[in-house]
Amino acid sequence: MAVAATKRGCRLVHVSSDAVFSGSRIHYDEACLPDPLTPYGAAKAAAETAVRLLAPAAAVARTSLIIGHGGSVHERMVHALVAGTRDGVLFTDDIRCPVHVEDLASALRELVMSDQAGMFHLAGADALSRHELGVLIARRDGIDATRLPAGRRADTPMPGALDVRLDSSATQGRVRTRLRGARAFLQAR
């Protein structure tokens, strides 16, 4: 894709993930180099490298958990856990910076319409555990947050980073779209 975009003079905005980081630093700004722990994170990091080498005019946008108006994976999981139709827990030690799908889409559109190149972090302003995020979703949707099972990911064999907080402050200075925190966009209705 990067080669084709460069050959044709097309704008390329590559979407990546906070999974490129191990969590050893906890706070990651746009200058931080990837140090993934999982095959998925390694594939995302390799794609970022390829895009930056093959299409230097491209923008690479890293994001975090994407939340919307009820349709995201995390939102559906919260409802299923409360309803008892799914087994599992929401981790209290797995920290991310969730972003609202509309904020993400708006910021990506800005990047597509601009000539800005380089690395961008498009994540929300709040660092939350998956359990804290679940509680906010439950409250917004009027369901019983006390029914959300909690657990620690560190107590499971699941690979991956525990605490990855994308610092979007440099990006926020380069795009007009306000990247709201989950506490703002998940206020109870």
Side-chain angles (χ1 to χ4, degrees):
M1 186 66 81
V3 170
T6 301
K7 273 185 184 179
R8 290 174 178 75
C10 297
R11 176 72 173 143
L12 176 62
V13 176
H14 174 77
V15 179
S16 190
S17 166
D18 59 9
V20 301
F21 297 121
S22 71
S24 63
R25 291 178 54 114
I26 298 176
H27 299 275
Y28 291 90
D29 66 20
E30 293 85 348
C32 291
L33 297 176
D35 63 341
L37 294 176
T38 64
Y40 174 77
K44 286 295 207 176
E48 285 183 11
T49 300
V51 166
R52 294 186 79 188
L53 287 172
L54 299 171
V60 174
R62 292 178 182 139
T63 192
S64 192
L65 297 176
I66 303 168
I67 305 299
H69 299 286
S72 75
V73 170
H74 202 77
E75 289 165 295
R76 289 192 318 266
M77 179 189 299
V78 166
H79 282 260
L81 288 170
V82 168
T85 59
R86 178 180 177 152
D87 291 330
V89 300
L90 294 178
F91 298 122
T92 58
D93 61 345
D94 189 333
I95 313 293
R96 296 296 184 273
C97 296
V99 64
H100 195 279
V101 66
E102 290 175 2
D103 297 349
L104 177 60
S106 179
L108 287 170
R109 183 176 191 286
E110 278 187 61
L111 291 176
V112 167
M113 302 304 288
S114 77
D115 61 359
Q116 295 187 74
M119 188 63 63
F120 297 84
H121 282 183
L122 301 177
D126 297 332
L128 300 169
S129 73
R130 289 181 187 261
H131 187 266
E132 290 171 313
L133 178 61
V135 168
L136 291 175
I137 291 167
R139 287 180 182 157
R140 176 202 64 191
D141 295 349
I143 59 177
D144 187 0
T146 64
R147 298 203 53 201
L148 287 172
R152 287 175 20 95
R153 194 163 128 225
D155 297 334
T156 75
M158 291 178 65
L162 287 177
D163 194 342
V164 175
R165 302 171 193 211
L166 291 184
D167 177 351
S168 301
S169 55
T171 295
Q172 192 63 87
R174 298 174 67 187
V175 298
R176 290 184 310 277
T177 300
R178 185 172 149 250
L179 299 167
R180 296 170 292 161
R183 288 181 183 92
F185 66 73
L186 287 172
Q187 292 180 3
R189 295 177 195 173

